[in-house]
Amino acid sequence: MTGAPATGPAAAGPTAAGATAGSATAAGATAGGATAGSATAGGATAGSATAGGATEATGATPTRPDHRRWARIGAAAAAALVLVTTAFGFSARGQVYDGIRPAAALAPDSDAILDADTQTGDRNILVLGLQADRADAPESARTDTAVLVHQPAGGGQPVTLSVPATLEVARPPCDRWDPATGSYGDTVPAESRTAFATAYDVGGPACTVGVVQQLTGIPVTGVVALDLAGTPELVDAVGGIRVCTERPVVDPVLGPVVEGSGSVPLDGPLALRFAAAAATADSSPANRVQRQQRVLGAALGDALSTTSLLTPGAAGRAAEGVSAAIVADGVDAGEILTLARGLGRAGTAGDGSTPLFLGLPVSETPNTRGHLELQRSDARALFAALRKHEPLPESATAPAARSAAAPATAGTVVDLVDATGSPGSVDRIAENLRERGYEIGAVRTGDPAEGATVRYSPDRTDAAGTLVGVLPGAWPAPDPTGSGRLEIVVGATGTAPVQAVPADDADCS
């Protein structure tokens, strides 16, 4: 029967296809403008329409499309910024790396290499410090420090082997090195009984590598030379550096370099003096290497810092400074920085991260040619142990242990001249010096003077350097005519006498 209204719970108001019944749809639309008793599907209550009994809450606020769009735009912009910043940083880092001057120096197939199979994978890096002219006086030989850093492939104790610049060697034929162009030229004939330092003077990095391999039988896998003459440009390129020094640094030729201790700021010229100082209270090769590498580590670390790499123009300036100071082969800036920080750490006994510092077994005094001679039996045992990863012989480690245990000042006799104008004022100086292991000799009164002066004869140069180091206000005064002279003229600075620095060194670990 057609036309009759539908009744009961099975009312056919909304159709399965979404047809309307009153103002409610079967798809779950709200009851729009339906009157009370609007159509329901499956027993829905007034105010909502359900399909199959499912209920849709009313009053929810949908997300606006423009909010989603701006969120997507912001995320894309952030990702793009990260990408651009990363690319800029990598580009700047590449500039600094490329600033290192290359030198074709390595010879991995040399016949001088012994026990090659047992040394596979070892890392042996030759680190050189090239001396700048000191006090406007040209250096006769540029190699100031030379160490071979041996890192076993199996992860054993790293060892730093120091090679004296005056070690007598037989230099092989070498191609002449032109430091201005970084190229090699004609061959220079071999020379026997010459100093190790002449290898770099004649043949640059390649000749020095050849001499070290010939001497030790160890393959040099990388070489880096810090040219101290380029240190000012490197340090100034990064805006100056800060380094730590355990004690004041005073050189009898250069005078006071750093009068304090702890963390000290250095500009370019002062960094050169700090690295070049030779006859100081810490004049051993280990400590000279340490000072030089602290300068290099601080400057290169600043150049490769995130702040520097993301500063427009900073990488270019740093690259120019790096080019002025560093020559290398087989190592990049990252590894050089790691090496410098390791060698610059306080302590030389070796702790797994700081290489054990060993000197070559050499004669205690120079020969008639002014060269130190290799003690061949002890040297062969040391080199063989390094090549074969065997325990180091006691003949190599015992001298280093004795050197670390014995104070450099023990038994050194110092005379005192009281020039303060106030009798008894030198007593405190004498007490401080005794605490540091000195013995006080003659004490006499002199004409009143200001400050403090260390007078010394040529044969007491090293002792004078150590003494000046513990009196940061003292000025060295060499006496070329005397012999056996080491005395302090203690004057007044204002109203107080010059005081010795504390015996305890600053902590630079």
Side-chain angles (χ1 to χ4, degrees):
M1 183 172 177
T2 62
T7 62
T15 66
T20 63
S23 62
T25 66
T30 61
T35 62
S38 298
T40 64
T45 62
S48 66
T50 65
T55 303
E56 178 177 316
T58 60
T61 304
T63 303
R64 295 176 61 186
D66 56 340
H67 287 174
R68 291 196 299 270
R69 183 172 66 253
W70 283 113
R72 288 195 298 269
I73 292 173
L81 179 61
V82 170
L83 182 62
V84 170
T85 302
T86 302
F88 186 84
F90 272 111
S91 176
R93 181 173 177 269
Q95 275 187 280
V96 177
Y97 273 55
D98 291 343
I100 296 173
R101 286 180 289 156
L106 303 183
D109 299 323
S110 170
D111 293 338
I113 297 172
L114 306 175
D115 305 311
D117 291 343
T118 63
Q119 300 190 76
T120 301
D122 288 357
R123 196 79 170 113
N124 303 297
I125 303 175
L126 182 61
V127 181
L128 305 173
L130 307 179
Q131 188 64 277
D133 295 342
R134 301 171 71 240
D136 298 323
E139 293 293 324
S140 57
R142 298 216 58 210
T143 301
D144 177 53
T145 58
V147 294
L148 182 65
V149 182
H150 171 70
Q151 300 169 320
Q157 170 67 59
V159 174
T160 296
L161 199 61
S162 176
V163 183
T166 57
L167 178 68
E168 186 164 282
V169 299
R171 192 186 70 233
C174 293
D175 292 341
R176 190 180 300 278
W177 164 254
D178 183 352
T181 63
S183 60
Y184 298 91
D186 59 302
T187 301
V188 180
E191 183 178 358
S192 61
R193 297 182 176 182
T194 188
F196 171 75
T198 65
Y200 198 96
D201 296 343
V202 170
C207 191
T208 307
V209 166
V211 170
V212 169
Q213 292 187 157
Q214 178 178 272
L215 185 69
T216 65
I218 296 173
V220 176
T221 59
V223 59
V224 54
L226 171 63
D227 190 343
L228 298 186
T231 300
E233 187 173 345
L234 172 61
V235 171
D236 286 341
V238 296
I241 59 174
R242 296 192 71 91
V243 299
C244 186
T245 177
E246 288 81 2
R247 60 197 69 88
V249 177
V250 184
D251 185 288
V253 176
L254 301 175
V257 177
V258 174
E259 297 187 6
S261 59
S263 178
V264 296
L266 302 177
D267 61 10
L270 187 55
L272 169 59
R273 289 161 57 87
F274 179 82
T280 68
D282 57 354
S283 59
S284 69
N287 287 314
R288 291 210 312 280
V289 169
Q290 188 180 81
R291 287 200 310 276
Q292 292 169 7
Q293 295 303 311
R294 283 178 180 175
V295 169
L296 176 57
L300 197 54
D302 286 352
L304 292 172
S305 68
T306 301
T307 300
S308 177
L309 294 179
L310 297 182
T311 300
R317 292 189 296 272
E320 292 178 0
V322 166
S323 182
I326 303 176
V327 176
D329 188 20
V331 289
D332 61 22
E335 188 171 9
I336 293 172
L337 177 58
T338 300
L339 275 170
R341 286 175 171 170
L343 291 172
R345 287 189 57 199
T348 56
D351 61 3
S353 60
T354 302
L356 176 66
F357 196 100
L358 298 178
L360 286 186
V362 296
S363 58
E364 293 185 2
T365 57
N367 59 23
T368 56
R369 292 175 292 278
H371 303 153
L372 296 174
E373 295 185 351
L374 192 68
Q375 296 179 343
R376 298 192 179 279
S377 177
D378 290 342
R380 281 195 294 268
L382 172 59
F383 300 150
L386 292 173
R387 294 194 304 263
K388 299 176 181 179
H389 307 158
E390 296 175 346
L392 299 176
E394 185 179 356
S395 60
T397 58
R402 288 196 299 270
S403 176
T409 60
T412 302
V413 179
V414 181
D415 297 332
L416 293 178
V417 178
D418 186 347
T420 64
S422 177
S425 294
V426 300
D427 291 348
R428 186 173 178 182
I429 291 258
E431 180 183 350
N432 288 339
L433 292 175
R434 288 190 184 99
E435 289 175 354
R436 301 197 68 139
Y438 286 97
E439 295 181 11
I440 304 302
V443 180
R444 62 184 177 86
T445 301
D447 295 333
E450 293 294 320
T453 303
V454 176
R455 295 175 179 167
Y456 62 96
S457 54
D459 59 325
R460 306 303 304 277
T461 297
D462 289 343
T466 303
L467 183 57
V468 170
V470 302
L471 290 169
W475 189 264
D479 177 8
T481 62
S483 176
R485 183 179 188 183
L486 182 63
E487 68 178 17
I488 307 173
V489 179
V490 183
T493 302
T495 58
V498 176
Q499 298 298 326
V501 298
D504 293 334
D505 293 332
D507 183 8
C508 290
S509 59

